[in-house]
Amino acid sequence: MAKFVKVGRVGDLADGQAKVVQVDGQRIALFSVGGRYYALEAGCPHEGGPLADGVIEGMRIICPWHGYDFHFKTGECGLDPDLRALTYPVKVQDDDLLIEMA
């Protein structure tokens, strides 16, 4: 059964910022983009680069190590269709940021 875990508050991240949070032993990168929040696995599925340190371009995060890009909603990679970053649903409840964990 899925559960939502509090990982911060709305004011913790300005637009275009990211941070890494620990949830159930997993490192997850939390992003604020255009007034919405997205969460992906913290390590790039290519070679483990820190996605939270990447560059945001539209609805994609570009890994700082090798330039692989991942869509915030789907996790799809624009450079390699065989790669996909794990994504996690994020919801705002009152001023809390919650990530859904399976």
Side-chain angles (χ1 to χ4, degrees):
M1 184 167 127
K3 65 178 177 175
F4 281 91
V5 178
K6 180 180 174 181
V7 293
R9 300 192 47 82
V10 170
D12 292 349
L13 291 174
D15 190 45
Q17 283 190 316
K19 73 174 183 175
V20 175
V21 296
Q22 286 276 123
V23 181
D24 294 341
Q26 297 179 53
R27 295 183 70 232
I28 299 173
L30 180 65
F31 299 88
S32 174
V33 181
R36 307 225 28 204
Y37 297 92
Y38 303 95
L40 289 93
E41 62 184 297
C44 177
H46 173 239
E47 287 191 7
L51 291 180
D53 293 341
V55 174
I56 295 171
E57 284 191 4
M59 286 299 295
R60 296 186 168 278
I61 183 68
I62 300 172
C63 180
W65 283 8
H66 302 109
Y68 283 73
D69 64 310
F70 300 92
H71 194 277
F72 286 115
K73 288 183 182 179
T74 65
E76 292 175 347
C77 180
L79 293 177
D80 184 345
D82 292 331
L83 284 181
R84 181 180 297 263
L86 294 176
T87 61
Y88 301 87
V90 180
K91 76 175 180 178
V92 177
Q93 186 173 27
D94 299 318
D95 280 335
D96 293 335
L97 297 174
L98 307 167
I99 293 179
E100 183 178 5
M101 301 299 293

